[in-house]
Amino acid sequence: MHISIVGTGSALPQKAVSNDDLSRTLDTSDAWIYSRTGIRYRHIAGPEETFATLGEKAARDAMTAAGVRPEEVGLIIAATATAGNVTPSSACLVQARIGVPRAVCFDLNAACSGFLYALRTAEALMRSGVAGTALILGGEILSHFLDWNDRSTCVLFGDAVGAVVLRASEDPDAGDILGTVLAADGSQGACLTGRSDPDNHYLHMDGQQVFRFAVRTVPEVIEEVLRQTKTEKEQVRYYVLHQANARIIDAAARRMQEPLEKFPMNMERTANTSAASIPILLDEMARGGKISRGDRLVLAGFGGGLTWGASVVRW
Ligand code: UT7
């Protein structure tokens, strides 16, 4: 059985905030932020914009692209570290909005690696017969967890939700998830934290420690998944990496001795959107005609937990 990505969608809040906007109230500058991160804008949710409203748009776009009706969806997983509710889950909220009558729905938190964890979970459930069609959402309303007076974190993140539709198929020409490696090391968790405690809910990050972890781990996990799937680097059309920082991606490309052109980036316009970053970039690439049927992509994520992972996907 093949499990293929048959549709993508994404939703960004309406309000875009530039580095220059931030530098009016914060001791920072466009030059510092852009040169250290590759970020110029982030989208910030307004009071009416939630995971559910953005997720509805992303899901509808992905289902339209896939030609899938709501009744066909049997599984919805929402990867998010910033769910607004204890219950109902974000997956259930989106389910209700898009009119999926009956499905297995739950949230999963693996921070910035959440989309890859959800992809692997959905794949395993689909291969075991739980559903033939699944919707995966990756998204965050991170702005609710940022201290807007802390220049070392608030300039880095943005809000967004991305979605993909997966379909199980026996068709030998269908796309597939060829292999995935996931991992976590909770003993390093203190370098990136955010709590649900209302009195102390701001995100804290030891940026340099996370940076060093990412630069070492991302190439390693990619090499591991390439070996596991017997994929040569020449067969990889694109490496779709979590969009935390352009310098991390530059460093990963250099370590892997792969040309930077194979590493698409959009953090300039979105900043780091955690679990949303891979699906919103995939959506942009799919809609921009950058990916063709049969292309091999490597998806790779890393972040809070610490968690990390990589998948090889045939489109
Ligand atoms: O998705 C989750 C994964 N997260 C990541 O991947 C983030 C990984 N880390 C990073 O991307 C980088 O470490 C940062 C972009 C967060 C920081 O870049 P850096 O080159 O490691 O800077 P730094 O933390 O060493 O700070 C250098 C200087 C400091 O000033 P002093 O001590 O040298 O005087 C900071 O206070 O830059 C200062 N600084 C700022 N200056 C202007 C920190 N934030 C800012 C700011 N504007 N926004």
Side-chain angles (χ1 to χ4, degrees):
M1 187 193 284
H2 306 294
I3 308 291
S4 45
I5 297 177
V6 291
T8 61
S10 58
L12 294 163
Q14 280 200 325
K15 187 179 171 192
V17 176
S18 70
N19 293 345
D20 287 330
D21 292 336
L22 291 179
S23 66
R24 280 186 207 112
T25 55
L26 207 59
D27 180 17
T28 188
S29 65
D30 177 58
W32 191 95
I33 302 170
Y34 187 69
S35 65
R36 297 287 173 127
T37 67
I39 294 165
R40 276 202 208 277
Y41 293 91
R42 70 286 296 140
H43 287 251
I44 301 298
E48 306 299 322
E49 291 171 316
T50 62
F51 189 104
T53 66
L54 298 173
E56 176 182 356
K57 183 202 175 279
R60 285 190 190 280
D61 288 355
M63 292 194 315
T64 302
V68 158
R69 284 171 290 116
E71 313 81 84
E72 295 174 70
V73 175
L75 169 67
I76 303 177
I77 305 178
T80 181
T82 53
N85 292 338
V86 172
T87 188
S89 67
S90 301
C92 286
L93 292 174
V94 172
Q95 176 199 13
R97 284 176 169 267
I98 61 177
V100 168
R102 185 189 157 131
V104 176
C105 298
F106 61 95
D107 290 0
L108 169 161
N109 176 356
C112 305
S113 312
F115 180 75
L116 286 173
Y117 271 65
L119 188 72
R120 179 72 186 98
T121 304
E123 181 205 352
L125 289 173
M126 292 171 84
R127 290 198 196 280
S128 68
V130 168
T133 302
L135 175 67
I136 302 180
L137 298 130
E140 311 286 357
I141 308 294
L142 268 164
S143 58
H144 293 177
F145 294 83
L146 296 174
D147 177 352
W148 290 98
N149 296 312
D150 175 8
R151 66 178 186 175
S152 71
T153 52
C154 73
V155 305
L156 303 174
F157 297 98
D159 300 331
V161 180
V164 302
V165 173
L166 297 179
R167 197 187 275 135
S169 160
E170 303 288 352
D171 176 358
D173 294 330
D176 208 353
I177 298 167
L178 301 176
T180 301
V181 175
L182 298 177
D185 178 1
S187 74
Q188 293 190 66
C191 65
L192 177 45
T193 59
R195 295 177 224 287
S196 47
D197 175 355
D199 295 327
N200 178 21
H201 66 286
Y202 292 137
L203 207 70
H204 292 282
M205 181 168 70
D206 180 336
Q208 291 199 3
Q209 197 181 332
V210 178
F211 194 98
R212 282 194 297 273
F213 149 77
V215 165
R216 189 185 64 247
T217 311
V218 171
E220 276 173 16
V221 74
I222 291 176
E223 300 282 357
E224 192 178 343
V225 80
L226 291 178
R227 275 197 304 279
Q228 189 196 89
T229 57
K230 300 189 169 40
T231 301
E232 300 298 331
K233 285 183 185 154
E234 301 72 60
Q235 294 174 275
V236 177
R237 181 82 201 275
Y238 290 112
Y239 296 92
V240 182
L241 269 46
H242 170 49
Q243 301 287 296
N245 187 321
R247 284 159 54 216
I248 292 176
I249 296 181
D250 277 356
R254 246 180 290 115
R255 281 196 186 204
M256 292 166 54
Q257 300 185 317
E258 281 283 78
L260 200 54
E261 299 77 70
K262 288 171 84 170
F263 295 75
M265 294 189 226
N266 69 354
M267 83 282 280
E268 179 170 346
R269 283 166 285 115
T270 64
N272 177 347
T273 59
S274 182
S277 77
I278 293 174
I280 66 176
L281 181 52
L282 277 180
D283 184 46
E284 204 177 296
M285 293 167 69
R287 284 172 199 276
K290 275 189 118 176
I291 324 174
S292 310
R293 217 173 151 75
D295 280 349
R296 267 184 204 218
L297 309 182
V298 173
L299 316 181
F302 56 91
L306 296 176
T307 55
W308 64 98
S311 288
V312 178
V313 166
R314 188 177 64 222
W315 202 255

